[in-house]
Amino acid sequence: MYEVSDSAVAVKRRVTLDDVAKVAHVATSTASRALNRPGRINAETEALVHQVANDLGYERPEIFWRRTHVLTQKIGVTIRLQEYQMLAAIQDKMILDQYLPVLYPAVSTRVLQTVKREFNNVDGLIIDNPQIPGRIRLEIPNTEPLVVTNCLMDETTCVVPDTEQGVAVLLTHLSSLRHQSITYFYAKDRWLDRSVLQALRSGCERDGLVLHTVGNVGDSLESGHRAVSAWRKHLDSVAVFCGALSAIGFMEELDQSLRVSVPDDVSVVAIGDAFIGRLHQPRTTTLEVPYRKIGTEAVRQLVSQIRHRSRVEKRVKLVNMRLVNGGTTGFF
């Protein structure tokens, strides 16, 4: 015979599988099998879990949501304002689907607090590039509907650029120009930078190219200026930057301090926003992150979750990248 503690009875929030498992003294996975896959565990344990679930008032998440949630026609968006192309695409798609975007500060230390505080005030959330993806699921395991962009997070629908495909296109371009060595400058705290790094390593190994990496390089003109000293250690024929501003800063410093010519002496490639690369002369060759397509797809996935909660599927949606040829890559 089990005992229901006072604390379990007094729970005012929605009863979860964890609550049922704790009172029944079984693992959460066991409680899940008992309630969702009958016949998979011991009959006595299964009966116990069902009794505990009934006593505590447990409901499946989709049933609870439909019973208690009144649609607000609002979607919360946590995104840096610098990602203006993606934000514009999100707003355009929401308007078409008759939703109102509600913007929250994209400060990494506040994302979790924002999710906790605001989730019940909107119909769903889009979080761009969360710095603490694991903690969101750990501390708020039933946060749905939710779509994450430009970052991978377990058991969540994610919309990300296809970095493996994009890097393959980039390496094909560089190989056609007879380049044999690359220096990659990146920031270690972003999923995009790490994903590009992994794709570059495997691609360069496959194609017989030499790869040197320099981490902790932010996307700013000043970071690009400082990167010149690191590039001089190997004098690779290609410098790749995960960010358009750092690539531009690098080229400025090469010209002003070393009188090194781009692309005659070194080719430069940016990964990110191709529009920023167009502001530089010559225009920067850019492996473009498709922010507008990512934003549109994120809204599409979230609205589908909102409208079909009983059959929500967690998925990773890859969006192809494209190489925008500028005047900063040439023959070696």
Side-chain angles (χ1 to χ4, degrees):
M1 188 68 179
Y2 70 92
E3 294 182 1
V4 180
S5 67
D6 293 337
S7 59
V9 173
V11 169
K12 294 183 180 180
R13 59 179 172 80
R14 181 173 71 83
V15 177
T16 67
L17 272 176
D18 290 336
D19 298 322
V20 174
K22 184 176 181 181
V23 174
H25 302 293
V26 298
T28 302
S29 58
T30 301
S32 177
R33 285 194 293 271
L35 296 172
N36 300 311
R37 297 181 179 181
R40 296 292 185 92
I41 63 172
N42 177 278
E44 183 178 349
T45 302
E46 183 175 311
L48 172 63
V49 170
H50 276 278
Q51 184 180 349
V52 171
N54 290 333
D55 290 348
L56 293 180
Y58 171 78
E59 293 178 295
R60 294 177 185 272
E62 63 271 18
I63 295 175
F64 176 87
W65 190 89
R66 285 200 299 266
R67 183 177 61 78
T68 63
H69 194 78
V70 177
L71 291 177
T72 65
Q73 293 301 117
K74 297 178 182 179
I75 291 177
V77 182
T78 298
I79 184 174
R80 297 184 308 160
L81 295 181
Q82 295 95 313
E83 306 293 0
Y84 56 93
Q85 290 197 53
M86 184 172 158
L87 180 57
I90 288 173
Q91 291 176 320
D92 290 346
K93 178 61 175 170
M94 283 189 189
I95 290 172
L96 287 175
D97 290 338
Q98 299 182 334
Y99 282 88
L100 176 68
V102 180
L103 299 181
Y104 302 122
V107 180
S108 60
T109 55
R110 295 183 183 177
V111 170
L112 190 60
Q113 293 90 326
T114 297
V115 173
K116 285 182 175 180
R117 184 184 67 249
E118 300 293 342
F119 184 67
N120 289 329
N121 298 325
V122 294
D123 297 336
L125 284 173
I126 295 174
I127 301 179
D128 180 57
N129 192 28
Q131 301 296 313
I132 48 173
R135 287 184 58 199
I136 293 176
R137 275 297 181 202
L138 180 64
E139 299 193 22
I140 318 175
N142 295 303
T143 299
E144 293 177 350
L146 171 67
V147 172
V148 169
T149 57
N150 296 307
C151 182
L152 289 180
M153 196 167 88
D154 292 341
E155 299 182 359
T156 301
T157 294
C158 305
V159 184
V160 296
D162 190 342
T163 53
E164 186 173 339
Q165 167 268 332
V167 168
V169 171
L170 173 61
L171 293 181
T172 298
H173 172 69
L174 295 177
S175 295
S176 72
L177 299 175
R178 304 194 197 101
H179 289 285
Q180 298 180 341
S181 60
I182 299 170
T183 300
Y184 173 52
F185 297 89
Y186 67 103
K188 295 181 178 179
D189 61 344
R190 294 198 311 165
W191 174 87
L192 176 64
D193 300 51
R194 297 192 303 270
S195 183
V196 169
L197 173 60
Q198 182 178 354
L200 277 173
R201 281 175 171 164
S202 59
C204 286
E205 182 178 358
R206 180 190 62 241
D207 297 341
L209 302 175
V210 175
L211 175 66
H212 297 108
T213 61
V214 181
N216 296 325
V217 179
D219 184 24
S220 66
L221 295 176
E222 293 75 14
S223 296
H225 294 165
R226 292 192 297 268
V228 169
S229 60
W231 171 77
R232 294 182 67 183
K233 292 180 181 179
H234 302 286
L235 297 177
D236 290 322
S237 63
V238 182
V240 176
F241 287 83
C242 210
L245 289 176
S246 52
I248 292 173
F250 177 77
M251 290 186 284
E252 288 179 348
E253 186 67 17
L254 286 179
D255 180 59
Q256 295 171 7
S257 300
L258 302 180
R259 301 303 176 188
V260 171
S261 175
V262 175
D264 295 334
D265 300 316
V266 58
S267 291
V268 177
V269 178
I271 299 174
D273 189 344
F275 176 77
I276 295 177
R278 296 189 187 102
L279 302 179
H280 181 264
Q281 290 298 326
R283 292 187 175 184
T284 308
T285 297
T286 306
L287 181 59
E288 185 177 42
V289 177
Y291 288 114
R292 288 196 64 89
K293 291 182 179 179
I294 290 172
T296 300
E297 183 61 29
V299 176
R300 182 180 294 114
Q301 292 294 325
L302 190 68
V303 170
S304 177
Q305 288 186 30
I306 293 170
R307 294 175 178 173
H308 309 287
R309 287 196 56 92
S310 62
R311 51 186 178 89
V312 171
E313 297 180 9
K314 310 301 188 299
R315 62 187 72 182
V316 175
K317 299 291 291 185
L318 299 176
V319 183
N320 280 353
M321 306 175 76
R322 71 184 182 108
L323 186 66
V324 180
N325 283 315
T328 59
T329 52
F331 284 95
F332 179 64

